[in-house]
Amino acid sequence: VEDGRHSLATGADPFDVVSLEPPPPQADGAASLYTTEFYELVKRRLARGGILAQWIPLQLQTEDLNRSLLRSITDVFSVVNVYVPSRVEAVVLASDRALVPDVARWDTLMAPSPVHDSLAEVGLGAPEELLGTMVLDDEGVRRYVGDAPPVTDDLPAIEFFRSHPGPPFSLEHMLRIAVNPADAAASMDPLRAARVSREAFGTRLQMSSWMAALSKDDVHALSFASEAARLVGDTNVYAMALLETDVDCTGMDDP
């Protein structure tokens, strides 16, 4: 009902979760929701153990600006993870407590029908499917960020993106340092771990399919989507939707 940053600055009650899906970082005026100072404000309003969930569309910025956007978060929070549940649009989770996925606990949390049904609609109906979208753990995020400068209130580079040319987002770079979510999670039985690994591989094929589609490489887009669907099966709604989209768009003049 009002500006999110103003609301955080003027309130006092703590939150367990602050979740953001603001306009894309390059949109006019949106930079103030992606800066170090904003995340410091979020941190002050989080309850002990609280979590920030931030949407970042990786394909819309250059590689350097993506690294800077994440640097703004890693400068404030001690633990940062990156999940990519669809396309190459990241959900960044940040906290000052360990973020160790626990699929046994997720079984309980995801069991109520409103929760399960809502997640299943987007291909995340099982804990293994959700965990399979994890791409970077905290170590991987910080390796990816490297020495990139943060986006700050006084130096909002993302708002002046035309003055910061550089190479486009590199999926290959990110995947080279990606984590196997089965290794990052709390202990699980071998069968579940194998499924998580398979779902993770499927997620990365889906990311590759989307990037190929953006570059109008129909052949590889369809190939990656087909392999992802084969791996995760027709119960994964998102994988099947992506494949159907690629099938429909292949050969179109303007997909």
Side-chain angles (χ1 to χ4, degrees):
V1 296
E2 62 175 320
D3 174 77
R5 182 161 175 171
H6 180 264
S7 180
L8 287 174
T10 57
D13 294 336
F15 294 102
D16 294 319
V17 176
V18 172
S19 177
L20 295 102
E21 189 178 346
Q26 295 180 0
D28 292 347
S32 63
L33 296 175
Y34 294 90
T35 66
T36 299
E37 290 85 355
F38 172 70
Y39 296 124
E40 289 171 342
L41 176 58
V42 170
K43 185 176 179 178
R44 290 199 297 272
R45 291 296 305 277
L46 283 173
R48 183 178 178 85
I51 295 176
L52 162 75
Q54 169 79 60
W55 170 74
I56 295 180
L58 297 170
Q59 80 280 11
L60 295 186
Q61 295 79 230
T62 64
E63 181 82 348
D64 289 345
L65 287 176
N66 275 324
R67 293 169 61 231
S68 288
L69 287 166
L70 287 170
R71 173 66 183 273
S72 300
I73 303 176
T74 60
D75 276 0
V76 176
F77 291 94
S78 58
V79 180
V80 181
N81 292 172
V82 170
Y83 287 68
V84 183
S86 68
R87 301 180 177 178
V88 286
E89 302 198 11
V91 175
V92 182
L93 300 184
S95 183
D96 282 332
R97 66 171 173 86
L99 295 174
V100 180
D102 185 345
V103 294
R105 183 166 180 263
W106 289 6
D107 283 334
T108 302
L109 295 173
M110 294 173 65
S113 58
V115 178
H116 174 269
D117 295 348
S118 179
L119 289 171
E121 286 181 1
V122 291
L124 303 174
E128 294 89 344
E129 291 177 336
L130 179 56
L131 182 53
T133 68
M134 182 182 188
V135 176
L136 297 178
D137 60 3
D138 186 69
E139 179 184 355
V141 171
R142 294 177 193 278
R143 284 181 61 193
Y144 180 75
V145 166
D147 60 357
V151 178
T152 60
D153 283 351
D154 61 340
L155 292 172
I158 189 65
E159 189 165 304
F160 301 95
F161 60 93
R162 297 188 192 280
S163 302
H164 295 269
F169 164 63
S170 171
L171 177 60
E172 293 75 16
H173 177 204
M174 180 169 282
L175 293 186
R176 278 198 300 271
I177 55 178
V179 67
N180 181 349
D183 296 335
S187 61
M188 69 183 83
D189 67 70
L191 285 178
R192 297 198 84 169
R195 182 179 176 190
V196 168
S197 297
R198 187 168 65 251
E199 293 286 347
F201 190 43
T203 290
R204 289 149 207 203
L205 285 169
Q206 292 165 2
M207 295 169 71
S208 298
S209 175
W210 188 253
M211 294 302 293
L214 289 178
S215 64
K216 302 190 182 302
D217 182 354
D218 292 345
V219 172
H220 282 99
L222 184 56
S223 174
F224 291 139
S226 299
E227 179 62 12
R230 185 192 68 79
L231 268 177
V232 299
D234 57 10
T235 59
N236 188 308
V237 176
Y238 175 67
M240 301 309 295
L242 178 65
L243 175 60
E244 182 177 348
T245 299
D246 280 339
V247 169
D248 289 345
C249 290
T250 297
M252 292 176 62
D253 291 335
D254 186 17

